[in-house]
Structure formats: structure tokens, C-alpha cells
Amino acid sequence: MYVHRIAVIPGDGIGPEVIAEGIKVLDKISELDGSFKFEYVTFPWGCEYYLKNGRMMSKDGIEQLSKFDAIFLGAVGFPGVPDHISLWELLLTIRKSFDQYVNLRPVKLLKGAPCPLKDVKCEDVDMIFVRENSEGEYAGSGSWHYKNSPYEVVIQNGVFSRHGCERIIRYAFQLARSKGKSLTSISKGNALNYSMVFWDQIFNEISKEYPDIKTASYLVDAASMLMVKHPERFEVVVTSNLFGDILTDLGAAIAGGMGLAAGANLNPERKFPSMFEPIHGSAPDIAGQHIANPLAAIWSVSQMLDFFGYEDWGKRLLDIIQEVLVDGNVLTPDMGGTATTSQVGDAVVARIY
Ligand code: NAI
Ligand code: MG
């Protein structure tokens, strides 16, 4: 039997509530399959840990995590700790240390999921975002001058390396080819006259290696409009760190809301553990009420199963999420229901057989 070692970081707010349901699902699947199982070690890192210890994770946290096959993360951030500290010291440190340069975010409207767009069919909203996850605007490069004076100046750089752009764009082309889909690049070459001109140039270069893949290229502002007006135009999408962050929240909004949006942070070479997480935050407004929707965390479990090579289970789990939505009887309030977080988790588990 193959044992997958999972580092669990439930984090803050609703993080622990939704992660518990994801683990129930993993356990049920491994129990039924019988050829693999999951072993978990839970780490108490997050804002509470920070308030006690002055840091978001232990000093040798990255070294500890490096011994696992994957990381399952809830959410980090809570009032009382500035968001740039919680995000940088935990989430972004893990993404960078483990070179998780692919952020894979499905924007797929499942049957039964609420959609604010008029006259849209589920088939029309079926995208997968490949967000660059290691550099760009989130590289942490910049400077702060003349602090606290009237002449204060801040500079935030966007870092785009040839290596970084080529590998993410190539990954997206490969994904498009494996799925028989088109690839759309989203950039902003008219205004960002270094970084995005460079991005577009590399996209054009690499597209020559993939003459079989249909491509499109949009400016980010036009793309946000088109995602709402013509979502069917987007299949596989590749974009920079910042644009991907923003557009996938828009994507979440048109595909059922934050309670359904999942994401995987991948190191495709498998040199380091990859990390799976719902894309929502810790939702302090509903934390502790047991009404958080666990389906986003469960969808990220489906991505984990895909990444481990259990694609049949990954697909089956996504089908089950859809069945639960279509059934409509056991849903959390954000989906218009009255069920608790664990009742939704149980409803998913009950359909795994
Ligand atoms: P958020 O995603 O936590 O919440 C936004 C809204 O969506 C809230 O009204 C919340 O109740 C709702 N919501 C989110 N997830 C839900 C779920 N599973 N079920 C039902 N409703 C859900 O974003 P917000 O409020 O901007 O950030 C809160 C904290 O989370 C901040 O400290 C922020 O920095 C952090 N954050 C952490 C992320 C991460 O760990 N990956 C990602 C985004 C935010
Ligand atoms: Mg975000």
C-alpha cells in the first residue's frame, strides 16, 4: 500500500472547519480504494501562533514541510495580525521555498451552482487558470524611501524572468494540449511596456512550438469584461501572478462563489511538495459559526488526487460535488441552504462508494 504523507496547516478562521471535511473525504476514498492511504501531521501555524511566538510558523518550518508529499492548507489571516505579514510569512514563503510556480485554479460552473450571469450554460464557464506563482508583481522586490516624510516614495517592482515566463507558458501549452483545448494569454503590453511586452514576446515564441494549439491573447481589462460577457471564449488561460489573483476571484464569482473555488500550488517537477487549498480566506465574519462551505476545500482535495495520479478519483469527487449541488438539500447558507459545514462534508462522504 502506498502511503502519502500530508502536512496539514488548518490555519485561521474557517480554515480548520473546512480542512476537517477535506480530510474526511480523503480518508473515505483511501479506505474504499485500498491501494493507498494518507498519513497526516497537523501544524498549528497561523495568526494565533504568531501572537504567541512572534512568527507565523516555526523557524525550521520549511525544512519540516519538505519531508511531506503534499501540503493541505486552510487559510491564513485574522484581524490583529496585518495581512501582509500573515500572507508573506506563511503562504508566500511556502510557495516560494518549494518553487510552486504553477497556481492551477479551475473556473468551472458546476450544475446546481449559483451563477450571477444571465442566460449562461454550465458548458460556457469551463476554464482552467494557470497563474504564474513565483515572481511577477508578488516577487517582493521594491523599496521605501524617505519614510514618514512628505517626500515618501515607494517602489514595487514586477519581476519577470525569461526562465519564469517560459516555464509557466510552456506548462500551460502542455496542459492545453493534454486537454485538447485552446490557450489564452492575458497581459497588458500596451501599458506595462517592459514586463508585459516581454511576456507577450515569450508567449509568441513558445506558441511556435505548439502549432496544434489554438491561441488567443487579451489585455487584462478587456479579458475581465469578456469573462463576464463571453466566458465561453476561455478554456486554458495563462497569466501573471497579480492578474491571475484578481481574475480568479472574478472567476469564482461567476462559478458559484468563494465557497466553491479551489486552487493547487504545484511544483510540477515534484522536487518539493505541492500545496492544495481553497482560494478563499479565513472569513472572520463567519468563523466559528460552522456554516463555512467546505466544497472549495473538497474540490482542492480532488486536485490533490489528480496530482497524485488518481485522476479517476479526482473526477469522481468533482462529480459528487456536482451531485450535492444539484440535489440541493444539504448546502451551506452561501449556496442558499441551511446545512452546517460538517453536514455538507458528510453528504459528500455518503456519496463516495
Ligand atoms: P475571504 O475569502 O475570507 O472572505 C470573503 C467573503 O466570502 C466573506 O464574506 C466570507 O464570509 C465569504 N466566504 C469565504 N469563504 C467562504 C466559505 N468557504 N463559505 C462561505 N462563505 C465564504 O476574504 P477576506 O474577507 O478578504 O479575507 C479574510 C482574511 O483571509 C484576511 O486576513 C486575508 O488576508 C485572508 N486571506 C487568506 C487567503 C489564504 O490563506 N489563501 C486568501 C484570501 C484572504
Ligand atoms: Mg486572492
Side-chain angles (χ1 to χ4, degrees), residues 202-235:
I202 292 180
F203 185 76
N204 287 332
E205 283 171 23
I206 295 186
S207 69
K208 298 200 173 70
E209 296 170 23
Y210 297 87
D212 51 315
I213 309 291
K214 195 174 152 229
T215 60
S217 197
Y218 295 119
L219 297 169
V220 64
D221 37 0
S224 357
M225 185 262 299
L226 285 171
M227 274 176 71
V228 171
K229 291 215 151 223
H230 291 289
E232 75 285 353
R233 287 204 197 170
F234 300 87
E235 293 180 344

PDB file of all heavy atoms in Angstrom, residues 202-235:
ATOM      1  N   ILE A 202       7.407  36.276 -25.270  1.00  0.00           N
ATOM      2  CA  ILE A 202       7.702  34.880 -24.936  1.00  0.00           C
ATOM      3  C   ILE A 202       6.506  33.984 -25.279  1.00  0.00           C
ATOM      4  O   ILE A 202       6.674  32.870 -25.783  1.00  0.00           O
ATOM      5  CB  ILE A 202       8.122  34.769 -23.452  1.00  0.00           C
ATOM      6  CG1 ILE A 202       9.470  35.470 -23.291  1.00  0.00           C
ATOM      7  CG2 ILE A 202       8.218  33.301 -23.009  1.00  0.00           C
ATOM      8  CD1 ILE A 202      10.039  35.461 -21.908  1.00  0.00           C
ATOM      9  N   PHE A 203       5.312  34.494 -25.064  1.00  0.00           N
ATOM     10  CA  PHE A 203       4.127  33.705 -25.431  1.00  0.00           C
ATOM     11  C   PHE A 203       4.157  33.401 -26.940  1.00  0.00           C
ATOM     12  O   PHE A 203       3.927  32.263 -27.357  1.00  0.00           O
ATOM     13  CB  PHE A 203       2.835  34.455 -25.053  1.00  0.00           C
ATOM     14  CG  PHE A 203       1.594  33.649 -25.298  1.00  0.00           C
ATOM     15  CD1 PHE A 203       1.235  32.623 -24.434  1.00  0.00           C
ATOM     16  CD2 PHE A 203       0.795  33.898 -26.409  1.00  0.00           C
ATOM     17  CE1 PHE A 203       0.100  31.849 -24.668  1.00  0.00           C
ATOM     18  CE2 PHE A 203      -0.342  33.126 -26.643  1.00  0.00           C
ATOM     19  CZ  PHE A 203      -0.692  32.112 -25.772  1.00  0.00           C
ATOM     20  N   ASN A 204       4.484  34.423 -27.737  1.00  0.00           N
ATOM     21  CA  ASN A 204       4.554  34.210 -29.197  1.00  0.00           C
ATOM     22  C   ASN A 204       5.647  33.220 -29.569  1.00  0.00           C
ATOM     23  O   ASN A 204       5.451  32.347 -30.417  1.00  0.00           O
ATOM     24  CB  ASN A 204       4.783  35.535 -29.930  1.00  0.00           C
ATOM     25  CG  ASN A 204       3.520  36.372 -29.918  1.00  0.00           C
ATOM     26  OD1 ASN A 204       2.417  35.826 -29.853  1.00  0.00           O
ATOM     27  ND2 ASN A 204       3.665  37.685 -29.937  1.00  0.00           N
ATOM     28  N   GLU A 205       6.797  33.344 -28.922  1.00  0.00           N
ATOM     29  CA  GLU A 205       7.904  32.414 -29.216  1.00  0.00           C
ATOM     30  C   GLU A 205       7.480  30.971 -28.934  1.00  0.00           C
ATOM     31  O   GLU A 205       7.665  30.087 -29.750  1.00  0.00           O
ATOM     32  CB  GLU A 205       9.111  32.722 -28.311  1.00  0.00           C
ATOM     33  CG  GLU A 205       9.931  33.934 -28.727  1.00  0.00           C
ATOM     34  CD  GLU A 205      10.969  34.310 -27.652  1.00  0.00           C
ATOM     35  OE1 GLU A 205      11.358  33.440 -26.820  1.00  0.00           O
ATOM     36  OE2 GLU A 205      11.359  35.472 -27.636  1.00  0.00           O
ATOM     37  N   ILE A 206       6.905  30.771 -27.762  1.00  0.00           N
ATOM     38  CA  ILE A 206       6.603  29.387 -27.365  1.00  0.00           C
ATOM     39  C   ILE A 206       5.426  28.833 -28.164  1.00  0.00           C
ATOM     40  O   ILE A 206       5.365  27.636 -28.428  1.00  0.00           O
ATOM     41  CB  ILE A 206       6.382  29.321 -25.839  1.00  0.00           C
ATOM     42  CG1 ILE A 206       7.721  29.674 -25.182  1.00  0.00           C
ATOM     43  CG2 ILE A 206       5.912  27.933 -25.389  1.00  0.00           C
ATOM     44  CD1 ILE A 206       7.787  29.550 -23.719  1.00  0.00           C
ATOM     45  N   SER A 207       4.536  29.703 -28.582  1.00  0.00           N
ATOM     46  CA  SER A 207       3.393  29.213 -29.362  1.00  0.00           C
ATOM     47  C   SER A 207       3.868  28.532 -30.656  1.00  0.00           C
ATOM     48  O   SER A 207       3.192  27.649 -31.171  1.00  0.00           O
ATOM     49  CB  SER A 207       2.402  30.342 -29.647  1.00  0.00           C
ATOM     50  OG  SER A 207       2.983  31.257 -30.541  1.00  0.00           O
ATOM     51  N   LYS A 208       5.050  28.920 -31.142  1.00  0.00           N
ATOM     52  CA  LYS A 208       5.576  28.276 -32.370  1.00  0.00           C
ATOM     53  C   LYS A 208       5.926  26.809 -32.128  1.00  0.00           C
ATOM     54  O   LYS A 208       5.947  26.010 -33.052  1.00  0.00           O
ATOM     55  CB  LYS A 208       6.805  29.034 -32.872  1.00  0.00           C
ATOM     56  CG  LYS A 208       6.450  30.465 -33.258  1.00  0.00           C
ATOM     57  CD  LYS A 208       7.463  31.112 -34.190  1.00  0.00           C
ATOM     58  CE  LYS A 208       6.966  32.465 -34.656  1.00  0.00           C
ATOM     59  NZ  LYS A 208       6.963  33.487 -33.579  1.00  0.00           N
ATOM     60  N   GLU A 209       6.194  26.467 -30.848  1.00  0.00           N
ATOM     61  CA  GLU A 209       6.474  25.047 -30.531  1.00  0.00           C
ATOM     62  C   GLU A 209       5.192  24.229 -30.485  1.00  0.00           C
ATOM     63  O   GLU A 209       5.239  23.007 -30.420  1.00  0.00           O
ATOM     64  CB  GLU A 209       7.149  24.929 -29.149  1.00  0.00           C
ATOM     65  CG  GLU A 209       8.504  25.579 -29.056  1.00  0.00           C
ATOM     66  CD  GLU A 209       8.981  25.639 -27.592  1.00  0.00           C
ATOM     67  OE1 GLU A 209       8.510  24.832 -26.758  1.00  0.00           O
ATOM     68  OE2 GLU A 209       9.819  26.514 -27.296  1.00  0.00           O
ATOM     69  N   TYR A 210       4.058  24.914 -30.453  1.00  0.00           N
ATOM     70  CA  TYR A 210       2.768  24.219 -30.313  1.00  0.00           C
ATOM     71  C   TYR A 210       1.794  24.659 -31.414  1.00  0.00           C
ATOM     72  O   TYR A 210       0.746  25.245 -31.127  1.00  0.00           O
ATOM     73  CB  TYR A 210       2.153  24.510 -28.935  1.00  0.00           C
ATOM     74  CG  TYR A 210       2.988  24.010 -27.790  1.00  0.00           C
ATOM     75  CD1 TYR A 210       4.002  24.796 -27.241  1.00  0.00           C
ATOM     76  CD2 TYR A 210       2.782  22.734 -27.253  1.00  0.00           C
ATOM     77  CE1 TYR A 210       4.784  24.334 -26.193  1.00  0.00           C
ATOM     78  CE2 TYR A 210       3.554  22.267 -26.204  1.00  0.00           C
ATOM     79  CZ  TYR A 210       4.552  23.075 -25.684  1.00  0.00           C
ATOM     80  OH  TYR A 210       5.326  22.619 -24.647  1.00  0.00           O
ATOM     81  N   PRO A 211       2.154  24.381 -32.677  1.00  0.00           N
ATOM     82  CA  PRO A 211       1.300  24.873 -33.766  1.00  0.00           C
ATOM     83  C   PRO A 211      -0.100  24.262 -33.734  1.00  0.00           C
ATOM     84  O   PRO A 211      -1.027  24.809 -34.335  1.00  0.00           O
ATOM     85  CB  PRO A 211       2.062  24.450 -35.030  1.00  0.00           C
ATOM     86  CG  PRO A 211       2.992  23.367 -34.590  1.00  0.00           C
ATOM     87  CD  PRO A 211       3.307  23.607 -33.153  1.00  0.00           C
ATOM     88  N   ASP A 212      -0.260  23.143 -33.032  1.00  0.00           N
ATOM     89  CA  ASP A 212      -1.568  22.473 -32.969  1.00  0.00           C
ATOM     90  C   ASP A 212      -2.526  23.157 -31.987  1.00  0.00           C
ATOM     91  O   ASP A 212      -3.711  22.852 -31.964  1.00  0.00           O
ATOM     92  CB  ASP A 212      -1.376  21.001 -32.543  1.00  0.00           C
ATOM     93  CG  ASP A 212      -0.522  20.875 -31.281  1.00  0.00           C
ATOM     94  OD1 ASP A 212       0.526  21.565 -31.198  1.00  0.00           O
ATOM     95  OD2 ASP A 212      -0.894  20.125 -30.370  1.00  0.00           O
ATOM     96  N   ILE A 213      -2.021  24.062 -31.145  1.00  0.00           N
ATOM     97  CA  ILE A 213      -2.882  24.676 -30.127  1.00  0.00           C
ATOM     98  C   ILE A 213      -3.386  26.027 -30.622  1.00  0.00           C
ATOM     99  O   ILE A 213      -2.602  26.917 -30.976  1.00  0.00           O
ATOM    100  CB  ILE A 213      -2.103  24.910 -28.803  1.00  0.00           C
ATOM    101  CG1 ILE A 213      -1.393  23.651 -28.340  1.00  0.00           C
ATOM    102  CG2 ILE A 213      -3.032  25.468 -27.712  1.00  0.00           C
ATOM    103  CD1 ILE A 213      -2.283  22.555 -27.871  1.00  0.00           C
ATOM    104  N   LYS A 214      -4.705  26.182 -30.576  1.00  0.00           N
ATOM    105  CA  LYS A 214      -5.305  27.476 -30.939  1.00  0.00           C
ATOM    106  C   LYS A 214      -5.027  28.459 -29.800  1.00  0.00           C
ATOM    107  O   LYS A 214      -5.220  28.117 -28.629  1.00  0.00           O
ATOM    108  CB  LYS A 214      -6.806  27.262 -31.116  1.00  0.00           C
ATOM    109  CG  LYS A 214      -7.498  28.380 -31.816  1.00  0.00           C
ATOM    110  CD  LYS A 214      -8.970  28.010 -32.090  1.00  0.00           C
ATOM    111  CE  LYS A 214      -9.759  29.288 -32.129  1.00  0.00           C
ATOM    112  NZ  LYS A 214     -10.946  29.279 -31.335  1.00  0.00           N
ATOM    113  N   THR A 215      -4.578  29.660 -30.134  1.00  0.00           N
ATOM    114  CA  THR A 215      -4.256  30.630 -29.073  1.00  0.00           C
ATOM    115  C   THR A 215      -5.050  31.925 -29.246  1.00  0.00           C
ATOM    116  O   THR A 215      -5.526  32.243 -30.336  1.00  0.00           O
ATOM    117  CB  THR A 215      -2.761  31.009 -29.068  1.00  0.00           C
ATOM    118  OG1 THR A 215      -2.440  31.592 -30.332  1.00  0.00           O
ATOM    119  CG2 THR A 215      -1.880  29.811 -28.800  1.00  0.00           C
ATOM    120  N   ALA A 216      -5.164  32.644 -28.145  1.00  0.00           N
ATOM    121  CA  ALA A 216      -5.715  33.997 -28.168  1.00  0.00           C
ATOM    122  C   ALA A 216      -4.933  34.797 -27.157  1.00  0.00           C
ATOM    123  O   ALA A 216      -4.296  34.230 -26.256  1.00  0.00           O
ATOM    124  CB  ALA A 216      -7.195  33.972 -27.808  1.00  0.00           C
ATOM    125  N   SER A 217      -4.964  36.112 -27.288  1.00  0.00           N
ATOM    126  CA  SER A 217      -4.238  36.976 -26.364  1.00  0.00           C
ATOM    127  C   SER A 217      -5.102  38.202 -26.097  1.00  0.00           C
ATOM    128  O   SER A 217      -5.560  38.847 -27.034  1.00  0.00           O
ATOM    129  CB  SER A 217      -2.916  37.352 -27.050  1.00  0.00           C
ATOM    130  OG  SER A 217      -2.025  37.845 -26.110  1.00  0.00           O
ATOM    131  N   TYR A 218      -5.349  38.480 -24.811  1.00  0.00           N
ATOM    132  CA  TYR A 218      -6.176  39.643 -24.469  1.00  0.00           C
ATOM    133  C   TYR A 218      -5.463  40.531 -23.471  1.00  0.00           C
ATOM    134  O   TYR A 218      -4.682  40.054 -22.641  1.00  0.00           O
ATOM    135  CB  TYR A 218      -7.498  39.202 -23.818  1.00  0.00           C
ATOM    136  CG  TYR A 218      -8.424  38.410 -24.718  1.00  0.00           C
ATOM    137  CD1 TYR A 218      -8.781  37.098 -24.383  1.00  0.00           C
ATOM    138  CD2 TYR A 218      -8.959  38.964 -25.874  1.00  0.00           C
ATOM    139  CE1 TYR A 218      -9.642  36.365 -25.189  1.00  0.00           C
ATOM    140  CE2 TYR A 218      -9.823  38.234 -26.688  1.00  0.00           C
ATOM    141  CZ  TYR A 218     -10.156  36.946 -26.338  1.00  0.00           C
ATOM    142  OH  TYR A 218     -11.003  36.221 -27.129  1.00  0.00           O
ATOM    143  N   LEU A 219      -5.817  41.809 -23.506  1.00  0.00           N
ATOM    144  CA  LEU A 219      -5.408  42.725 -22.444  1.00  0.00           C
ATOM    145  C   LEU A 219      -6.265  42.423 -21.219  1.00  0.00           C
ATOM    146  O   LEU A 219      -7.430  42.036 -21.344  1.00  0.00           O
ATOM    147  CB  LEU A 219      -5.607  44.177 -22.883  1.00  0.00           C
ATOM    148  CG  LEU A 219      -4.762  44.605 -24.088  1.00  0.00           C
ATOM    149  CD1 LEU A 219      -5.228  45.965 -24.601  1.00  0.00           C
ATOM    150  CD2 LEU A 219      -3.283  44.659 -23.710  1.00  0.00           C
ATOM    151  N   VAL A 220      -5.690  42.624 -20.041  1.00  0.00           N
ATOM    152  CA  VAL A 220      -6.389  42.186 -18.824  1.00  0.00           C
ATOM    153  C   VAL A 220      -7.716  42.910 -18.613  1.00  0.00           C
ATOM    154  O   VAL A 220      -8.688  42.314 -18.128  1.00  0.00           O
ATOM    155  CB  VAL A 220      -5.464  42.318 -17.584  1.00  0.00           C
ATOM    156  CG1 VAL A 220      -5.093  43.757 -17.295  1.00  0.00           C
ATOM    157  CG2 VAL A 220      -6.089  41.668 -16.362  1.00  0.00           C
ATOM    158  N   ASP A 221      -7.788  44.172 -19.003  1.00  0.00           N
ATOM    159  CA  ASP A 221      -9.053  44.894 -18.808  1.00  0.00           C
ATOM    160  C   ASP A 221     -10.125  44.329 -19.735  1.00  0.00           C
ATOM    161  O   ASP A 221     -11.261  44.083 -19.321  1.00  0.00           O
ATOM    162  CB  ASP A 221      -8.877  46.415 -18.958  1.00  0.00           C
ATOM    163  CG  ASP A 221      -7.884  46.810 -20.040  1.00  0.00           C
ATOM    164  OD1 ASP A 221      -7.316  45.920 -20.701  1.00  0.00           O
ATOM    165  OD2 ASP A 221      -7.677  48.020 -20.238  1.00  0.00           O
ATOM    166  N   ALA A 222      -9.761  44.102 -20.993  1.00  0.00           N
ATOM    167  CA  ALA A 222     -10.725  43.516 -21.924  1.00  0.00           C
ATOM    168  C   ALA A 222     -11.105  42.108 -21.476  1.00  0.00           C
ATOM    169  O   ALA A 222     -12.271  41.698 -21.566  1.00  0.00           O
ATOM    170  CB  ALA A 222     -10.129  43.472 -23.328  1.00  0.00           C
ATOM    171  N   ALA A 223     -10.113  41.381 -20.944  1.00  0.00           N
ATOM    172  CA  ALA A 223     -10.381  39.998 -20.523  1.00  0.00           C
ATOM    173  C   ALA A 223     -11.409  39.966 -19.387  1.00  0.00           C
ATOM    174  O   ALA A 223     -12.277  39.084 -19.354  1.00  0.00           O
ATOM    175  CB  ALA A 223      -9.090  39.316 -20.080  1.00  0.00           C
ATOM    176  N   SER A 224     -11.338  40.934 -18.448  1.00  0.00           N
ATOM    177  CA  SER A 224     -12.306  40.917 -17.345  1.00  0.00           C
ATOM    178  C   SER A 224     -13.717  41.151 -17.876  1.00  0.00           C
ATOM    179  O   SER A 224     -14.678  40.577 -17.367  1.00  0.00           O
ATOM    180  CB  SER A 224     -11.995  41.961 -16.267  1.00  0.00           C
ATOM    181  OG  SER A 224     -10.841  42.642 -16.517  1.00  0.00           O
ATOM    182  N   MET A 225     -13.832  42.004 -18.870  1.00  0.00           N
ATOM    183  CA  MET A 225     -15.144  42.245 -19.475  1.00  0.00           C
ATOM    184  C   MET A 225     -15.618  40.982 -20.208  1.00  0.00           C
ATOM    185  O   MET A 225     -16.756  40.542 -20.039  1.00  0.00           O
ATOM    186  CB  MET A 225     -14.992  43.448 -20.417  1.00  0.00           C
ATOM    187  CG  MET A 225     -16.248  43.947 -21.062  1.00  0.00           C
ATOM    188  SD  MET A 225     -16.438  43.297 -22.720  1.00  0.00           S
ATOM    189  CE  MET A 225     -14.991  43.942 -23.542  1.00  0.00           C
ATOM    190  N   LEU A 226     -14.714  40.366 -20.960  1.00  0.00           N
ATOM    191  CA  LEU A 226     -15.105  39.191 -21.746  1.00  0.00           C
ATOM    192  C   LEU A 226     -15.441  37.980 -20.874  1.00  0.00           C
ATOM    193  O   LEU A 226     -16.286  37.161 -21.233  1.00  0.00           O
ATOM    194  CB  LEU A 226     -13.978  38.813 -22.720  1.00  0.00           C
ATOM    195  CG  LEU A 226     -13.829  39.734 -23.937  1.00  0.00           C
ATOM    196  CD1 LEU A 226     -12.557  39.384 -24.701  1.00  0.00           C
ATOM    197  CD2 LEU A 226     -15.050  39.618 -24.852  1.00  0.00           C
ATOM    198  N   MET A 227     -14.777  37.871 -19.719  1.00  0.00           N
ATOM    199  CA  MET A 227     -15.091  36.729 -18.831  1.00  0.00           C
ATOM    200  C   MET A 227     -16.555  36.778 -18.391  1.00  0.00           C
ATOM    201  O   MET A 227     -17.169  35.754 -18.128  1.00  0.00           O
ATOM    202  CB  MET A 227     -14.186  36.734 -17.591  1.00  0.00           C
ATOM    203  CG  MET A 227     -12.858  36.043 -17.829  1.00  0.00           C
ATOM    204  SD  MET A 227     -11.777  36.158 -16.400  1.00  0.00           S
ATOM    205  CE  MET A 227     -12.585  35.059 -15.234  1.00  0.00           C
ATOM    206  N   VAL A 228     -17.093  37.997 -18.308  1.00  0.00           N
ATOM    207  CA  VAL A 228     -18.489  38.153 -17.911  1.00  0.00           C
ATOM    208  C   VAL A 228     -19.418  38.038 -19.129  1.00  0.00           C
ATOM    209  O   VAL A 228     -20.455  37.394 -19.079  1.00  0.00           O
ATOM    210  CB  VAL A 228     -18.679  39.526 -17.205  1.00  0.00           C
ATOM    211  CG1 VAL A 228     -20.150  39.831 -16.981  1.00  0.00           C
ATOM    212  CG2 VAL A 228     -17.910  39.539 -15.883  1.00  0.00           C
ATOM    213  N   LYS A 229     -19.002  38.646 -20.239  1.00  0.00           N
ATOM    214  CA  LYS A 229     -19.889  38.693 -21.413  1.00  0.00           C
ATOM    215  C   LYS A 229     -19.787  37.440 -22.281  1.00  0.00           C
ATOM    216  O   LYS A 229     -20.774  37.006 -22.868  1.00  0.00           O
ATOM    217  CB  LYS A 229     -19.538  39.914 -22.272  1.00  0.00           C
ATOM    218  CG  LYS A 229     -19.888  41.218 -21.597  1.00  0.00           C
ATOM    219  CD  LYS A 229     -20.338  42.229 -22.623  1.00  0.00           C
ATOM    220  CE  LYS A 229     -21.309  43.207 -22.031  1.00  0.00           C
ATOM    221  NZ  LYS A 229     -22.446  43.540 -22.808  1.00  0.00           N
ATOM    222  N   HIS A 230     -18.584  36.901 -22.406  1.00  0.00           N
ATOM    223  CA  HIS A 230     -18.374  35.728 -23.269  1.00  0.00           C
ATOM    224  C   HIS A 230     -17.456  34.723 -22.588  1.00  0.00           C
ATOM    225  O   HIS A 230     -16.356  34.430 -23.093  1.00  0.00           O
ATOM    226  CB  HIS A 230     -17.756  36.138 -24.611  1.00  0.00           C
ATOM    227  CG  HIS A 230     -18.681  36.906 -25.478  1.00  0.00           C
ATOM    228  ND1 HIS A 230     -19.772  36.331 -26.090  1.00  0.00           N
ATOM    229  CD2 HIS A 230     -18.694  38.215 -25.803  1.00  0.00           C
ATOM    230  CE1 HIS A 230     -20.418  37.252 -26.769  1.00  0.00           C
ATOM    231  NE2 HIS A 230     -19.802  38.407 -26.607  1.00  0.00           N
ATOM    232  N   PRO A 231     -17.885  34.168 -21.450  1.00  0.00           N
ATOM    233  CA  PRO A 231     -16.992  33.249 -20.733  1.00  0.00           C
ATOM    234  C   PRO A 231     -16.592  32.040 -21.586  1.00  0.00           C
ATOM    235  O   PRO A 231     -15.536  31.452 -21.349  1.00  0.00           O
ATOM    236  CB  PRO A 231     -17.835  32.829 -19.516  1.00  0.00           C
ATOM    237  CG  PRO A 231     -19.247  33.168 -19.852  1.00  0.00           C
ATOM    238  CD  PRO A 231     -19.192  34.329 -20.789  1.00  0.00           C
ATOM    239  N   GLU A 232     -17.419  31.716 -22.580  1.00  0.00           N
ATOM    240  CA  GLU A 232     -17.135  30.527 -23.400  1.00  0.00           C
ATOM    241  C   GLU A 232     -15.856  30.683 -24.216  1.00  0.00           C
ATOM    242  O   GLU A 232     -15.324  29.708 -24.733  1.00  0.00           O
ATOM    243  CB  GLU A 232     -18.339  30.198 -24.292  1.00  0.00           C
ATOM    244  CG  GLU A 232     -18.559  31.106 -25.497  1.00  0.00           C
ATOM    245  CD  GLU A 232     -19.142  32.495 -25.151  1.00  0.00           C
ATOM    246  OE1 GLU A 232     -19.509  32.726 -23.981  1.00  0.00           O
ATOM    247  OE2 GLU A 232     -19.212  33.335 -26.072  1.00  0.00           O
ATOM    248  N   ARG A 233     -15.351  31.909 -24.328  1.00  0.00           N
ATOM    249  CA  ARG A 233     -14.128  32.100 -25.116  1.00  0.00           C
ATOM    250  C   ARG A 233     -12.887  31.577 -24.403  1.00  0.00           C
ATOM    251  O   ARG A 233     -11.838  31.415 -25.014  1.00  0.00           O
ATOM    252  CB  ARG A 233     -13.911  33.593 -25.362  1.00  0.00           C
ATOM    253  CG  ARG A 233     -14.881  34.149 -26.356  1.00  0.00           C
ATOM    254  CD  ARG A 233     -14.267  35.384 -26.988  1.00  0.00           C
ATOM    255  NE  ARG A 233     -15.291  36.164 -27.634  1.00  0.00           N
ATOM    256  CZ  ARG A 233     -15.092  37.373 -28.108  1.00  0.00           C
ATOM    257  NH1 ARG A 233     -13.908  37.939 -27.986  1.00  0.00           N
ATOM    258  NH2 ARG A 233     -16.059  38.022 -28.706  1.00  0.00           N
ATOM    259  N   PHE A 234     -12.981  31.363 -23.087  1.00  0.00           N
ATOM    260  CA  PHE A 234     -11.795  30.998 -22.312  1.00  0.00           C
ATOM    261  C   PHE A 234     -11.790  29.504 -21.990  1.00  0.00           C
ATOM    262  O   PHE A 234     -12.772  28.989 -21.451  1.00  0.00           O
ATOM    263  CB  PHE A 234     -11.740  31.798 -21.008  1.00  0.00           C
ATOM    264  CG  PHE A 234     -11.682  33.294 -21.219  1.00  0.00           C
ATOM    265  CD1 PHE A 234     -12.842  34.040 -21.357  1.00  0.00           C
ATOM    266  CD2 PHE A 234     -10.451  33.941 -21.308  1.00  0.00           C
ATOM    267  CE1 PHE A 234     -12.789  35.412 -21.567  1.00  0.00           C
ATOM    268  CE2 PHE A 234     -10.391  35.319 -21.516  1.00  0.00           C
ATOM    269  CZ  PHE A 234     -11.566  36.057 -21.644  1.00  0.00           C
ATOM    270  N   GLU A 235     -10.690  28.856 -22.294  1.00  0.00           N
ATOM    271  CA  GLU A 235     -10.539  27.445 -21.922  1.00  0.00           C
ATOM    272  C   GLU A 235      -9.351  27.333 -20.978  1.00  0.00           C
ATOM    273  O   GLU A 235      -9.509  27.527 -19.786  1.00  0.00           O
ATOM    274  CB  GLU A 235     -10.420  26.581 -23.175  1.00  0.00           C
ATOM    275  CG  GLU A 235     -11.738  26.587 -23.971  1.00  0.00           C
ATOM    276  CD  GLU A 235     -11.735  25.755 -25.233  1.00  0.00           C
ATOM    277  OE1 GLU A 235     -10.650  25.368 -25.741  1.00  0.00           O
ATOM    278  OE2 GLU A 235     -12.832  25.489 -25.739  1.00  0.00           O
TER     279      GLU A 235
END
